[in-house]
Amino acid sequence: MRIGGCDAIDMARQYGTPLYAYDEAGLRRTCREYLTAFRAAWPRAHVAYACKAFATTAMLRLASEEGLGIDAMSAGELALARRAGVPAADLTFHGVVKTGEELEQAVAGGVGYVVIDSAEEVADLIRVAARLGRRQPVLLRVNPAVAVTTDPRYRTGDRDSKFGLCIADGSARRAAAQALAAEQLRLDGVHFHLGSQLTSAQPYAEAMTAVARLLAEIPGWRPSRVVVGGGMGVRYGDNGPAVPTPQRWATSIAGAFRQRLASHCADDVILGIEPGRSVVAEHGSTLYTVGTVKPSQERPGVIILVTDGGLSDNPRPLMYSAVHDVVAAADPLEAGGYVADIYGRHCETDLLFAGVRLPRIGRGDILVVRTTGAYTYCMASNYNRFPRAAVVFARDGMSRLVVRRETTADLLATELE
Ligand code: LLP
């Protein structure tokens, strides 16, 4: 199996496992596809990469080089972006609860936008901007109360969501009035994000209708920016549901915007999106070494296979019942005659993938779990005090380490006793 033109087994030998391996050309291609498609559908389109999906300096630099802005949601993500050389003006700062310190850093650092998520935050931000003598451009994150058909764990814009300012109860209207009146803030527009792993543009259209109703209640204000969040779904595994391409997302989202919302906005309104998962997921794979193979006692013919990683490098199977395709690196096209239940090596019954068909496989062989580019490395933990795995970018047959593997010394570095 090759990733970015590099042999997966060679990379596993060179860098060790577990290993996150990315196809760099694929990452660049998808960034470009999003930008080209949205600009074709709405000439004043802005695409930001939601870096929570996979935040490393190399990825942020890549996205920025390809012309995307960066959506960050913590001081840590902002610091990574700064180190990656992303211009401050290209940064949008999100978060349902931002600390005073984070707001100070964001405003002092000159981020392009702070997205206000609550009534409390309007007041917080006015204070911070006043102290720093700045006028901060802001967007208002609204909750349009649209229930999307995705796993409830991925929903962020339904009626009782913790995110954003509710349109229905007047909170969004009041916050907008307060922000418009504050000389320390420049309220440019509205933001919403409905959820993740969406497969249709219909919810975006419904949310736009809700935003149009809100704007009708705020006479004299015509936003110059509307950001519809991320959420564009990914096809996990050959049997997963099909998902729209960036081109399809662009035509349907821009079409709905033209129909439902654009006439309430400024003539030169910018339409923004901030995809995360769909930029990176399919271009990343995780490489594991098989540690042990045991025959199932209950199900003759089934093997219990334990890898050298698991819950700490990919919590998604346990958190979201996520499914990923798994292949043997030596023989990726061969489904094979073995049926394996694949576990991680944690002190947990951490079944990662059940009933996977594999060719003959044993200790030391390399497994490749596909479509793990999003929400894996960035959600990794040190559970059982395992060091976090390394990240490699591969392109045209050359690979480079972009994040080194943690060491035991890294794990001890914060211990004070
Ligand atoms: N913008 C905002 C404000 C968000 O909250 C998110 C994701 C995105 C953009 C990017 O959404 P995407 O295009 O990646 O769907 N940990 C979960 C996913 C949580 C997504 C949270 N917000 C997972 O492993 O599937």
Side-chain angles (χ1 to χ4, degrees):
M1 169 142 190
R2 302 188 92 75
I3 297 166
C6 294
D7 185 85
I9 298 176
D10 288 347
M11 285 198 287
R13 272 203 202 105
Q14 185 178 350
Y15 303 107
T17 56
L19 180 70
Y20 303 102
Y22 284 80
D23 170 1
E24 185 180 342
L27 292 169
R28 289 187 183 277
R29 193 175 59 242
T30 302
C31 289
R32 263 174 243 158
E33 276 171 9
Y34 264 117
L35 208 54
T36 315
F38 272 84
R39 283 190 181 156
W42 188 265
R44 288 169 309 281
H46 184 262
V47 181
Y49 166 57
C51 80
K52 68 204 76 184
F54 171 52
T56 69
T57 321
M59 181 60 208
L60 296 190
R61 182 171 297 146
L62 181 157
S64 183
E65 281 169 2
E66 294 298 340
L68 272 57
I70 300 293
D71 144 12
M73 70 145 294
S74 65
E77 288 184 353
L78 287 174
L80 273 177
R82 256 196 307 277
R83 182 193 274 224
V86 178
D90 290 352
L91 292 170
T92 302
F93 185 40
H94 278 285
V96 62
V97 172
K98 306 175 186 76
T99 66
E101 205 178 321
E102 283 176 324
L103 285 175
E104 293 247 4
Q105 283 180 24
V107 175
V111 301
Y113 283 102
V114 172
V115 182
I116 294 176
D117 212 290
S118 63
E120 295 91 331
E121 200 179 306
V122 183
D124 288 349
L125 197 55
I126 290 174
R127 259 197 312 275
V128 168
R131 197 162 51 240
L132 294 169
R134 299 269 179 137
R135 183 160 189 244
Q136 177 60 47
V138 296
L139 304 178
L140 214 59
R141 177 165 180 170
V142 298
N143 176 3
V146 174
V148 292
T149 48
T150 186
D151 188 302
R153 289 166 289 194
Y154 295 146
R155 292 183 195 157
T156 56
D158 50 4
R159 273 165 68 87
D160 261 349
S161 173
K162 70 174 182 181
F163 296 103
L165 287 139
C166 188
I167 294 180
D169 73 356
S171 310
R173 181 177 41 76
R174 284 191 295 276
Q178 204 186 343
L180 285 167
E183 60 191 30
Q184 298 85 355
L185 307 182
R186 193 188 82 203
L187 178 62
D188 278 4
V190 176
H191 170 281
F192 60 79
H193 174 79
L194 305 173
S196 205
Q197 192 55 5
L198 310 188
T199 52
S200 137
Q202 183 54 29
Y204 296 89
E206 285 171 33
M208 287 178 199
T209 301
V211 172
R213 268 203 309 272
L214 166 72
L215 295 178
E217 292 173 11
I218 312 174
W221 185 47
R222 287 160 64 86
S224 57
R225 184 173 284 247
V226 172
V227 182
V228 303
M232 296 77 199
V234 158
R235 187 170 198 197
Y236 285 106
D238 291 341
N239 298 324
V243 294
T245 58
Q247 287 76 14
R248 282 299 284 275
W249 283 119
T251 44
S252 24
I253 289 175
F257 184 61
R258 204 167 269 118
Q259 247 182 19
R260 301 186 182 214
L261 193 49
S263 62
H264 297 262
C265 302
D267 294 340
D268 57 352
V269 61
I270 291 171
L271 172 63
I273 59 154
E274 45 191 30
R277 182 194 309 271
S278 55
V279 176
V280 292
E282 68 168 309
H283 306 302
S285 301
T286 314
L287 277 45
Y288 297 102
T289 304
V290 174
T292 180
V293 182
K294 300 175 181 178
S296 161
Q297 299 302 306
E298 301 247 343
R299 292 156 303 151
V302 173
I303 55 172
I304 293 166
L305 191 155
V306 189
T307 70
D308 61 348
L311 174 57
S312 58
D313 59 72
N314 184 358
R316 305 194 68 258
L318 274 85
M319 275 183 81
Y320 308 111
S321 317
V323 176
H324 295 268
D325 276 347
V326 187
V327 296
D331 213 348
L333 298 179
E334 179 61 61
Y338 278 78
V339 176
D341 280 354
I342 303 178
Y343 288 83
R345 71 165 171 138
H346 286 272
C347 238
E348 295 272 341
T349 301
D350 55 345
L351 176 60
L352 303 175
F353 310 109
V356 179
R357 288 210 159 270
L358 289 172
R360 190 175 186 81
I361 196 146
R363 181 183 173 85
D365 287 340
I366 304 299
L367 285 179
V368 182
V369 179
R370 295 164 112 162
T371 325
T372 58
Y375 301 112
T376 52
Y377 167 71
C378 59
M379 290 177 73
S381 74
N382 289 124
Y383 181 40
N384 292 149
R385 301 286 97 186
F386 290 146
R388 264 179 274 247
V391 184
V392 155
F393 274 22
R395 185 184 187 181
D396 298 331
M398 307 274 278
S399 64
R400 69 181 210 278
L401 197 59
V402 299
V403 181
R404 70 159 170 80
R405 187 174 304 282
E406 284 180 348
T407 61
T408 308
D410 291 324
L411 295 178
L412 294 179
T414 51
E415 295 293 325
L416 298 179
E417 298 255 324

